[in-house]
């Protein structure tokens, strides 16, 4: 189990994600999302979802934030935060596609923060909790080790 992340760091990242959501381009879903990713050097990159009239071309806030960092030459990260303006029933967590992209660059214990708007709580999951048994860079190099929670059938 990963140790609890720093609360001030989580608050700062979530605030960055909240502000980033203000730049969302979401005329179709009306569901603005912001994301913030903290680099190993302490810099924060933000992103917002960018939709398209051809709906499937929409890109989520998390991927915008990660791609901004990567295209700026940064590949090591400490934490991520995701924030959505409209989450009446709880929290927003990264979609499946974003989990796969995040798994490419985040360590398995890296925290992903989100805000429970029902009660104001800050919640977090590790990358491994978000995408267990991920197909990550090691796997693509044929270096995959069995996930600890794998089920196995008897011989
Ligand atoms: N969206 C994100 O940006 N991040 C998420 O984690 C969930 C979904 C966006 C995609 C789309 O523009 C809108 O939210 C509704 O799905």
């Amino acid at each position: 189990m990963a140790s609890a992340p720093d609360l001030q760091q989580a608050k700062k990242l979530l605030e960055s994600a909240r502000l980033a959501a203000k730049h969302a381009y979401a005329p179709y879903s009306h569901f603005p999302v912001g994301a913030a990713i903290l680099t190993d050097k302490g810099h924060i990159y933000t992103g917002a979802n960018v939709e398209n009239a051809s709906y499937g071309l929409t890109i989520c806030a998390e991927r915008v934030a990660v791609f901004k960092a990567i295209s700026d030459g940064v590949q090591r990260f400490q934490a991520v935060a995701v924030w959505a303006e409209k989450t009446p029933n709880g929290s927003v967590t990264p979609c499946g596609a974003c989990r796969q992209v995040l798994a490419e660059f985040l360590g398995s214990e890296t925290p992903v923060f989100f805000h429970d708007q029902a009660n104001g709580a800050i919640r977090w999951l590790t990358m491994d909790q978000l995408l267990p048994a991920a197909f990550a860079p090691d796997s693509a190099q044929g270096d995959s080790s069995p996930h600890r929670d794998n089920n196995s059938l008897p011989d």
Side-chain angles (χ1 to χ4, degrees), residues 35-46:
I37 187 162
L38 179 66
T39 74
D40 61 340
K41 302 256 164 50
H43 184 77
I44 294 174
Y45 285 89
T46 59

Side-chain angles (χ1 to χ4, degrees), residues 24-110:
Y25 177 74
Y28 307 106
S29 72
H30 304 287
F31 192 78
V33 183
I37 187 162
L38 179 66
T39 74
D40 61 340
K41 302 256 164 50
H43 184 77
I44 294 174
Y45 285 89
T46 59
N49 51 333
V50 182
E51 299 186 345
N52 192 275
S54 178
Y55 297 169
L57 298 183
T58 291
I59 181 165
C60 294
E62 296 91 321
R63 274 176 285 160
V64 171
V66 172
F67 293 159
K68 278 168 73 176
I70 298 299
S71 59
D72 216 10
V74 183
Q75 294 191 359
R76 299 173 75 87
F77 305 104
Q78 297 185 48
V80 176
V82 194
W83 196 92
E85 284 187 7
K86 298 178 184 172
T87 47
N89 299 317
S91 317
V92 66
T93 56
C95 78
C98 288
R99 291 176 196 211
Q100 180 65 33
V101 169
L102 290 171
E104 184 76 20
F105 300 107
L106 303 188
S108 58
E109 299 302 317
T110 304

